[in-house]
Amino acid sequence: MNIESLQMFCLVVDEGSISQAARLSYVSQPAVTRQIHQLENFYGALLFDRTDGKLKVTEAGKMLYPFAKSIVHDFHRSKESIKQAMGEYHANLHVGASFTIGEYLLPSLLGRYKKQTPDIKVTLTIKNTPGVLEDLSNDVIDMALVEGLVENKEFMVEKFADDELIVVCSPEHVWGEQIFIEELINERIIWRESGSGTRLIVENSLREYGILEKMESYMELGSTQAIKSAVEAGLGISILPRLTVARELKLGLLREVDIEGVTIFRNLWLVKKQQRFNKIGVSQFLEFIQNGACHSSKLKTKK
Amino acid sequence: MNIESLQMFCLVVDEGSISQAARLSYVSQPAVTRQIHQLENFYGALLFDRTDGKLKVTEAGKMLYPFAKSIVHDFHRSKESIKQAMGEYHANLHVGASFTIGEYLLPSLLGRYKKQTPDIKVTLTIKNTPGVLEDLSNDVIDMALVEGLVENKEFMVEKFADDELIVVCSPEHVWGEQIFIEELINERIIWRESGSGTRLIVENSLREYGILEKMESYMELGSTQAIKSAVEAGLGISILPRLTVARELKLGLLREVDIEGVTIFRNLWLVKKQQRFNKIGVSQFLEFIQNGACHSSKLKTKK
DNA sequence: CACAGGCTATAAGTATTGGTTATAGCCTAT
DNA sequence: ATAGGCTATAACCAATACTTATAGCCTGTG
């Protein structure tokens, strides 16, 4: 049996059309028809239902699909692997990340990774979390770095860092270095829009201390950058991931305020597809991350 | 690329010889040579080193091997899967078990499983634990049931039952239904040979209570059956898995004695290869086991 | 309702592939 | 030296896989 035929089968299933698959592969349509026939003949089962001119995948076809995908996938990996061993292949690791991680954390992280393994090319795609996970599902990217916890059997999820959510205010604010949590109640707090993952975490945490209910919503802004500008301008205070304000804290544009006895953490997750053979470079990246390449403590600007 | 060629490659690697692989596959030797050449040509790398008349797998060949195995494996599974969906395939689930589990626990367990899913044929192979695990590694069996905990990255291990180790004595023994653990000290205890997994567990447990050191070894026997006969004959007492003495207890040939405040458990483990696609029947068997098909409580003969 | 434009299946011709047997060349062990 | 194992190559044949051309079917449109 030809692996190419299995790959063609996958393409036909994905495209829902033999002709379209033929066009995409730059072969004639009868060639594709024949490959599918060959498969059907081999497996002794119709893979597509051609009644009423439509091409519908049969039960047998649906059954075959994951196996075919897996075989084709392993086959590609085998080529990469051997090419790499021969020194003819330079892996192109495609990483996807959510906006916050991609914009604030990854530039330096990938920089350090590339310095460590210069022969691996790294491409970064930044989207919102659902978009990143869809790319991962469609094999557009090799791994994803996101904030929210992902629940999906096809994915393998692993914490790769955590990020602290801290209170920031303008440098002119009357507060000192530390406050009691109750002092938040009468402040003008600038929130992300409801539904934002960050906001949920902060709300849950404040609810635990029983002060969320006593607070009044003052202002909601749709982007972290907008919130930072508003806080800088002294319009209010906010609770933001340390990641996103590390630069402003360093430059003295914003000031960090500890809450006595309270720290709010959120985990950052590395997500990859559950599969036997990783793309060249993925394993190294995993190791790089696990060897403590990335700790929130490193981001602190405390004295 | 032909999946058959990859399979042939695996066979050549396993056998270390092109001619031997040809003989086993009932094809001519040049046909095999050609398939290997085709692979080498495709991957752009020599897979075997033919200098000095020996056939030695190259680095590239070693690299390809796991991919080829995986592809061939998935391919076979795909055939089974579709045949099964077409109703033309009756899975033959091959289970391996250690002696104790295979002889005492599995007969009834497999009986109940077959009653539940009569269209799956089950074959049982009983060996010692290392032998069973070797069979699993070589794909001779589909899953293994053993007592000792297995540590191996290629395996997936899961507790499927536990077994209690209980004190047994002859029905004529002076003891009542319950004793204090100190009463063991002056008894004539019949042990399995040192190194036996069961013995280790018992020793560890008695050591916890600080009485192992106070005991004297009286007799060591190499098989559970021998120990049971010796205890029946009143030569001494022993501590044995409840599994292995359930029948004798029921028939009154042996008597169980509780130790006040002490129970010794050991886990029984289901081991299978870590792989994406399970053989038909393996998943059902896993579910069957997990749905509490097998609890030590069921084996108890307590009033 | 006719017909253009999409689809898949089939037919016929050619190129490639995968098997065979026969044989050459190499190494090892007797 | 030589027999007996191995792998590689050559020559041949059958099966496979591609091509183009074409038929048949369905849908949507004027």
Side-chain angles (χ1 to χ4, degrees):
Chain A
M1 177 52 53
N2 249 327
I3 295 183
E4 284 77 14
S5 296
L6 288 168
Q7 182 162 24
M8 189 60 87
F9 165 73
C10 290
L11 188 60
V12 172
V13 172
D14 292 338
E15 297 297 324
S17 151
I18 288 183
S19 301
Q20 182 61 12
R23 276 189 295 272
L24 290 175
S25 321
Y26 303 103
V27 293
S28 68
Q29 167 262 316
V32 180
T33 295
R34 182 193 267 273
Q35 287 187 323
I36 301 298
H37 275 306
Q38 182 210 32
L39 280 169
E40 292 183 320
N41 199 46
F42 177 86
Y43 282 109
L46 284 177
L47 299 173
F48 296 98
D49 181 2
R50 285 98 161 164
T51 51
D52 28 288
K54 300 236 184 304
L55 205 68
K56 241 190 84 206
V57 190
T58 60
E59 277 309 306
K62 281 184 196 146
M63 200 136 249
L64 177 58
Y65 187 77
F67 289 103
K69 271 269 173 183
S70 184
I71 288 169
V72 168
H73 186 266
D74 286 353
F75 184 56
H76 284 145
R77 285 282 178 277
S78 77
K79 284 187 278 187
E80 287 173 8
S81 242
I82 290 185
K83 281 230 180 76
Q84 212 245 358
M86 302 273 108
E88 298 162 13
Y89 177 80
H90 291 272
N92 183 353
L93 188 63
H94 206 138
V95 179
S98 63
F99 282 107
T100 310
I101 295 181
E103 289 171 355
Y104 292 101
L105 180 59
L106 274 190
S108 85
L109 188 64
L110 289 183
R112 267 181 292 150
Y113 179 61
K114 260 201 84 78
K115 198 178 278 174
Q116 185 195 294
T117 54
D119 51 332
I120 291 183
K121 190 177 150 195
V122 180
T123 313
L124 177 60
T125 302
I126 298 180
K127 295 192 178 182
N128 59 20
T129 298
V132 169
L133 294 178
E134 197 192 323
D135 279 358
L136 183 64
S137 194
N138 296 333
D139 290 316
V140 177
I141 57 175
D142 302 310
M143 58 166 69
L145 302 170
V146 297
E147 296 107 24
L149 188 42
V150 181
E151 305 249 1
N152 186 326
K153 257 186 90 177
E154 98 180 287
F155 294 145
M156 198 209 73
V157 176
E158 187 177 338
K159 177 189 157 181
F160 79 95
D162 46 42
D163 184 26
E164 196 182 347
L165 291 154
I166 56 171
V167 175
V168 290
C169 61
S170 123
E172 282 76 37
H173 199 281
V174 294
W175 278 345
E177 281 182 5
Q178 201 172 50
I179 59 166
F180 292 103
I181 195 163
E182 291 79 15
E183 295 185 60
L184 287 173
I185 296 176
N186 295 315
E187 280 293 323
R188 291 166 302 173
I189 296 198
I190 304 173
W191 296 94
R192 280 293 295 274
E193 73 279 10
S194 342
S196 136
T198 314
R199 174 155 176 182
L200 276 175
I201 290 174
V202 174
E203 286 187 340
N204 284 339
S205 190
L206 295 180
R207 190 174 294 118
E208 273 181 41
Y209 291 95
I211 69 160
L212 182 67
E213 294 73 16
K214 301 185 191 151
M215 294 164 75
E216 277 175 49
S217 187
Y218 163 65
M219 188 187 282
E220 288 187 6
L221 292 175
S223 91
T224 304
Q225 190 50 56
I227 296 178
K228 290 196 289 188
S229 305
V231 173
E232 262 183 66
L235 296 180
I237 65 151
S238 188
I239 301 177
L240 291 172
R242 182 191 294 283
L243 257 182
T244 65
V245 293
R247 204 169 51 90
E248 284 79 2
L249 291 177
K250 213 167 157 192
L251 296 173
L253 302 171
L254 292 173
R255 193 149 52 81
E256 172 181 358
V257 180
D258 267 7
I259 309 178
E260 161 74 29
V262 178
T263 38
I264 312 176
F265 274 105
R266 68 168 175 181
N267 288 328
L268 305 182
W269 303 95
L270 184 153
V271 189
K272 71 177 195 70
K273 271 199 169 177
Q274 194 112 42
Q275 55 198 3
R276 195 201 307 260
F277 300 110
N278 282 326
K279 183 157 170 180
I280 311 288
V282 168
S283 316
Q284 283 105 308
F285 192 80
L286 278 172
E287 217 170 293
F288 170 71
I289 289 261
Q290 282 159 353
N291 285 347
C294 188
H295 285 307
S296 61
S297 56
K298 287 200 180 171
L299 299 163
K300 289 204 182 172
T301 48
K302 288 263 181 70
K303 346 89 283 191
Chain B
M1 178 51 54
N2 248 327
I3 296 182
E4 283 77 14
S5 296
L6 288 168
Q7 182 162 23
M8 190 60 87
F9 165 73
C10 291
L11 188 59
V12 172
V13 172
D14 291 338
E15 296 298 323
S17 150
I18 288 182
S19 300
Q20 182 61 11
R23 277 189 294 271
L24 290 176
S25 322
Y26 303 102
V27 292
S28 67
Q29 167 262 315
V32 180
T33 294
R34 187 199 269 266
Q35 287 188 322
I36 301 298
H37 274 304
Q38 181 209 31
L39 279 168
E40 292 183 320
N41 199 45
F42 177 86
Y43 282 108
L46 285 176
L47 299 173
F48 295 98
D49 181 3
R50 285 98 161 164
T51 51
D52 27 287
K54 302 237 184 301
L55 204 68
K56 242 189 85 205
V57 190
T58 60
E59 276 310 305
K62 281 183 196 148
M63 202 136 248
L64 176 57
Y65 187 77
F67 289 103
K69 272 270 173 182
S70 185
I71 289 170
V72 169
H73 186 265
D74 286 353
F75 183 56
H76 284 143
R77 286 282 179 276
S78 77
K79 285 187 277 186
E80 287 172 8
S81 241
I82 291 186
K83 281 231 179 77
Q84 213 245 359
M86 304 272 108
E88 299 162 11
Y89 177 80
H90 290 272
N92 183 353
L93 188 63
H94 206 138
V95 179
S98 63
F99 282 106
T100 310
I101 295 181
E103 289 171 355
Y104 292 101
L105 180 58
L106 274 190
S108 85
L109 188 64
L110 289 184
R112 267 181 291 151
Y113 179 60
K114 261 200 84 78
K115 198 178 277 175
Q116 185 194 295
T117 53
D119 51 333
I120 291 183
K121 190 179 152 197
V122 181
T123 312
L124 177 60
T125 302
I126 299 179
K127 295 191 178 183
N128 59 20
T129 298
V132 169
L133 294 178
E134 197 192 323
D135 279 358
L136 184 63
S137 193
N138 296 333
D139 290 315
V140 177
I141 58 175
D142 302 310
M143 58 165 71
L145 302 170
V146 296
E147 295 109 23
L149 188 43
V150 181
E151 305 250 1
N152 186 326
K153 257 187 89 176
E154 100 179 285
F155 294 146
M156 199 208 72
V157 177
E158 188 177 335
K159 178 189 158 181
F160 79 95
D162 46 40
D163 184 25
E164 196 183 347
L165 292 155
I166 56 170
V167 174
V168 289
C169 60
S170 123
E172 282 77 37
H173 198 282
V174 295
W175 278 345
E177 281 182 4
Q178 202 172 49
I179 58 167
F180 293 102
I181 194 164
E182 292 77 15
E183 294 186 60
L184 287 173
I185 296 176
N186 294 316
E187 279 293 322
R188 289 166 303 171
I189 296 198
I190 304 174
W191 295 95
R192 281 293 294 273
E193 74 279 10
S194 345
S196 137
T198 315
R199 174 154 176 183
L200 274 175
I201 291 173
V202 174
E203 285 186 340
N204 284 338
S205 191
L206 295 181
R207 189 174 295 118
E208 272 182 41
Y209 290 95
I211 69 159
L212 180 67
E213 294 74 13
K214 301 187 191 150
M215 294 165 75
E216 277 175 51
S217 187
Y218 164 65
M219 188 187 281
E220 288 187 7
L221 293 175
S223 92
T224 304
Q225 190 51 55
I227 295 178
K228 289 196 288 187
S229 305
V231 173
E232 263 183 66
L235 295 179
I237 65 150
S238 188
I239 301 177
L240 291 172
R242 182 190 295 283
L243 257 183
T244 64
V245 293
R247 204 169 51 89
E248 283 79 2
L249 292 176
K250 213 167 158 192
L251 296 174
L253 303 170
L254 291 173
R255 192 148 54 80
E256 173 181 359
V257 181
D258 266 7
I259 308 178
E260 162 75 29
V262 179
T263 38
I264 312 176
F265 275 104
R266 68 166 176 183
N267 288 327
L268 305 182
W269 303 95
L270 184 152
V271 189
K272 71 177 196 69
K273 270 199 170 177
Q274 194 112 40
Q275 55 198 5
R276 195 200 308 261
F277 301 110
N278 281 327
K279 182 156 169 180
I280 312 288
V282 169
S283 316
Q284 284 105 308
F285 192 81
L286 278 171
E287 218 172 291
F288 170 72
I289 290 261
Q290 281 159 352
N291 285 347
C294 188
H295 285 308
S296 61
S297 55
K298 288 200 181 172
L299 300 163
K300 288 205 183 170
T301 48
K302 287 263 181 70
K303 351 91 275 191

